Amino acid sequence: MATQTSTRPQLSYLTEQLNQFKQKGTYFRLRVLDDEQAPVCTFDGKRVINLASNNYLGLTTHPRLREAALQATRKYGVGSGAVRTIAGTMKIHMELEEKIARFKNVEASVVFQSGFAANAGTVSAVLGKEDFIISDELNHASIIDGARLSRAAIKVFRHKDVAHAEELLKEVAGQPGHKLLITDGVFSMDGDVAPLPALCDLAEKYGAIMMVDDAHASGVLGRNGRGTIDHFHVHGRVDIQVGTLSKAVGALGGYVCGSRDLIDFLYHRARPFLFSTSHPPSVAASCIAAFEVLEQEPERIEKLWDNTRYWKKELGNLGYNIGGVNTPASETPITPIIIGDGKLTMDFSRELFKEGVMGTGIAFPTVPEGKARVRTIVTATHTREELDGALEVLRRVGKRMGILR
Ligand SMILES: *Cc1c(COP(=O)(O)O)cnc(C)c1O
């Protein structure tokens, strides 16, 4: 059989588009990690201080999570063998869901293969074409895709603008369909936090379903990392809570928390649950261990916030724009260094890498035109020396490129 060696004419339009990306300077190659996801690690053969991962608490390499995965693999094998509704629900999946529900103090929880699947699967299952989705303009792509799949009418409010959200709710108040008010808990590109209490007030005033995606808040905000609902004390006022197991929790997956009936309904109608195989037992085991670590090692979260405060202060002292002027002000470990121009941002990121700092350049369409940035995330496991080392590189490269005066 002949091996396919090049793009056939049917797909040549993709090559043309790639060439356009190259012209615009937005084309990228994947950086490949040679070792563990750690504060200092090796990408493409180069040792760098890693400011790019979501491994907030260092759990990707925590001995307890590692051991749990190995034990589960020995005991149960490497795969679940089916989707949850056919034969792929293992006891360890149920244990994880019970653990999450207890942790979040809700009736029930269901785990999806990823946070993306949790959002897309839930929004598209709960809403239909007669319904309305009122969504923050900076909500995650998985919410947007779920909203589109639902075929509900989508109304987008200006970022964190509660008055605008109310206008939109008023517009549809007379319509018979269900209304969903939906927001990220922490916004992934700017690191700012949703105005949750005010949004809960609105949802109650207009009888809307309230949904929060806490991907970047899971393990970061609230007691022991219980998320924004706990942080703002709005327990019982959010109908659908989504969290991720892929970021601070250190493994992979997404979960939905809510009432028993909500979760039962998702068992019956959420398409990633019905049509895609469940996690390997090792993943479920790692996640169970991770929630134990969240409960037993709160000092990790304290260290995360300690490092975050230090990092923001020192970056500001260097003279970088870390948000808050024409962009939202970060309130979490996500700290953007706003550059503005897309090409300059990508060049800056590359220069940082050459000097031993990994910070991802993010440009349009992921963030608005003119607001390109290098996004940095410090973790609980960065040492002060590592942070100082990264700051020195940022100072040097920033001056050399004329970004700092
Ligand atoms: C990362 C992220 C997701 C997706 O989570 P995965 O588990 O990586 O699929 C969903 N929502 C938000 C806001 C995120 O930042």
Side-chain angles (χ1 to χ4, degrees):
M1 201 166 70
T3 2
Q4 192 177 330
T5 52
S6 62
T7 308
R8 298 201 297 158
Q10 295 87 317
L11 283 179
S12 60
Y13 66 103
L14 299 186
T15 311
E16 283 158 28
Q17 289 191 30
L18 283 170
N19 287 335
Q20 286 176 13
F21 302 164
K22 283 174 188 166
Q23 271 170 13
K24 275 193 233 151
T26 56
Y27 180 85
F28 59 82
R29 284 180 202 291
L30 297 174
R31 290 220 182 277
V32 178
L33 177 60
D34 301 322
D35 42 21
E36 296 182 345
Q37 187 63 261
V40 177
C41 53
T42 313
F43 281 94
D44 298 331
K46 180 159 180 64
R47 243 6 227 161
V48 289
I49 300 167
N50 181 4
L51 299 174
S53 95
N54 301 314
N55 183 23
Y56 288 106
L57 303 174
L59 299 196
T60 58
T61 54
H62 193 290
R64 279 179 69 176
L65 274 73
R66 222 193 268 263
E67 192 49 38
L70 290 169
Q71 273 188 27
T73 302
R74 285 195 197 96
K75 211 163 160 189
Y76 303 116
V78 298
S80 73
V83 304
R84 290 286 299 273
T85 49
I86 308 282
T89 296
M90 302 173 89
K91 209 174 198 169
I92 202 160
H93 294 132
M94 301 308 291
E95 262 174 52
L96 172 59
E97 289 170 347
E98 282 154 23
K99 181 118 204 143
I100 295 171
R102 274 199 308 278
F103 180 74
K104 300 279 281 188
N105 198 22
V106 291
E107 263 185 4
S109 122
V110 56
V111 168
F112 288 79
Q113 300 84 352
S114 68
F116 196 107
N119 271 327
T122 300
V123 174
S124 59
V126 170
L127 282 296
K129 66 176 189 303
E130 315 295 321
D131 300 329
F132 300 92
I133 299 174
I134 317 323
S135 176
D136 188 289
E137 66 180 337
L138 294 188
N139 277 347
H140 192 259
S142 53
I143 292 177
I144 298 168
D145 286 11
R148 289 178 183 159
L149 284 169
S150 76
R151 298 159 73 208
I154 304 165
K155 303 198 160 263
V156 175
F157 60 91
R158 288 185 295 273
H159 183 48
K160 300 208 309 190
D161 188 334
V162 177
H164 191 209
E166 176 156 26
E167 263 176 51
L168 298 178
L169 278 163
K170 260 191 199 142
E171 274 175 33
V172 298
Q175 309 270 355
H178 305 287
K179 287 98 193 175
L180 173 75
L181 182 56
I182 184 164
T183 185
D184 282 8
V186 171
F187 292 88
S188 51
M189 291 302 141
D190 294 286
D192 54 337
V193 179
L196 215 47
L199 290 175
C200 286
D201 290 345
L202 267 194
E204 280 156 17
K205 184 169 170 191
Y206 292 90
I209 305 157
M210 184 72 217
M211 176 164 170
V212 177
D213 170 11
D214 251 350
H216 278 285
S218 310
V220 173
L221 280 172
R223 283 169 309 139
N224 303 79
R226 283 176 171 80
T228 53
I229 284 88
D230 193 75
H231 173 74
F232 284 116
H233 308 289
V234 289
H235 300 277
R237 302 182 65 196
V238 174
D239 303 283
I240 308 176
Q241 298 183 40
V242 170
T244 186
L245 304 169
S246 324
K247 292 179 172 138
V249 174
L252 174 69
Y255 58 84
V256 179
C257 285
S259 69
R260 182 73 255 168
D261 286 351
L262 168 71
I263 303 309
D264 271 344
F265 181 82
L266 293 175
Y267 285 175
H268 288 82
R269 284 291 179 271
R271 292 168 72 83
F273 187 85
L274 290 160
F275 294 106
S276 184
T277 298
S278 52
H279 278 152
S282 57
V283 172
S286 297
C287 293
I288 291 171
F291 283 96
E292 281 159 11
V293 170
L294 287 182
E295 282 167 334
Q296 291 164 19
E297 300 178 19
E299 63 275 13
R300 284 179 182 266
I301 299 180
E302 281 161 33
K303 187 72 198 307
L304 170 67
W305 283 96
D306 217 37
N307 278 346
T308 296
R309 281 186 290 271
Y310 181 72
W311 184 247
K312 287 188 191 306
K313 177 168 71 76
E314 294 299 319
L315 271 185
N317 286 347
L318 282 181
Y320 279 113
N321 171 6
I322 56 170
V325 186
N326 287 317
T327 52
S330 170
E331 303 158 71
T332 66
I334 297 170
T335 307
I337 300 176
I338 310 286
I339 305 295
D341 180 67
K343 182 164 182 327
L344 181 60
T345 299
M346 294 307 171
D347 291 345
F348 180 48
S349 171
R350 260 191 299 275
E351 288 304 308
L352 290 174
F353 187 80
K354 281 191 208 152
E355 307 240 352
V357 168
M358 169 91 165
T360 320
I362 299 170
F364 183 80
T366 308
V367 295
E369 200 86 73
K371 292 183 179 171
R373 77 266 326 259
V374 166
R375 187 180 68 163
T376 65
I377 299 181
V378 297
T379 69
T381 47
H382 283 96
T383 64
R384 200 43 69 88
E385 291 68 39
E386 287 158 3
L387 296 183
D388 286 341
L391 287 163
E392 174 49 30
V393 171
L394 278 157
R395 191 192 61 78
R396 207 165 56 227
V397 175
K399 292 241 153 133
R400 193 171 72 221
M401 296 186 68
I403 294 165
L404 291 180
R405 262 175 290 163

